[in-house]
């Protein structure tokens, strides 16, 4: 499909500090404006128990809020 993507690794702390939060938002918006699909994952290599995001649903919500997304659709098999 000739689609381009970019992986972004984040931690919970990235959303707490204003400068880091703005960097995430600006990066996502720039990627989208250049037709690049952002793939966001928790940066497990630097996260430790007290600063982990916890689950993908929570990470998705945090990213939707950071980018002022109009919609968030979660597809899951969980109850």
């Amino acid at each position: 499909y000739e689609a381009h993507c970019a992986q972004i690794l984040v931690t919970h702390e990235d959303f707490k500090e204003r400068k880091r939060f703005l960097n995430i938002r600006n990066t996502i918006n720039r990627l989208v404006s250049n037709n690049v699909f952002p793939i966001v994952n928790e940066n497990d290599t630097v996260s430790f128990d007290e600063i982990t995001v916890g689950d993908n649903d929570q990470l998705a919500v945090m990213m939707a809020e950071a980018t002022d997304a109009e919609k968030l659709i979660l597809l899951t098999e969980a109850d």
Side-chain angles (χ1 to χ4, degrees):
Y1 297 102
E2 297 185 27
H4 296 278
C5 64
Q7 182 180 36
I8 300 169
L9 300 174
V10 298
T11 67
H12 199 276
E13 292 297 305
D14 293 325
F15 293 91
K16 290 182 177 179
E17 186 179 315
R18 181 78 176 151
K19 184 175 180 180
R20 289 161 70 174
F21 170 82
L22 292 174
N23 284 338
I24 291 170
R25 184 168 75 182
N26 292 338
T27 299
I28 295 287
N29 290 335
R30 179 61 60 97
L31 289 170
V32 170
S33 71
N34 286 300
N35 297 317
V36 176
F37 294 104
I39 311 264
V40 182
N41 289 304
E42 184 169 10
N43 191 351
D44 296 330
T45 59
V46 298
S47 294
F48 25 112
D49 291 341
E50 62 271 11
I51 64 168
T52 58
V53 174
D55 64 53
N56 289 329
D57 291 351
Q58 185 179 7
L59 178 59
V61 169
M62 293 165 74
M63 290 306 304
E65 290 176 345
T67 59
D68 295 325
E70 292 180 21
K71 294 181 184 178
L72 170 62
I73 300 170
L74 299 173
L75 304 174
T76 183
E77 294 181 14
D79 293 337

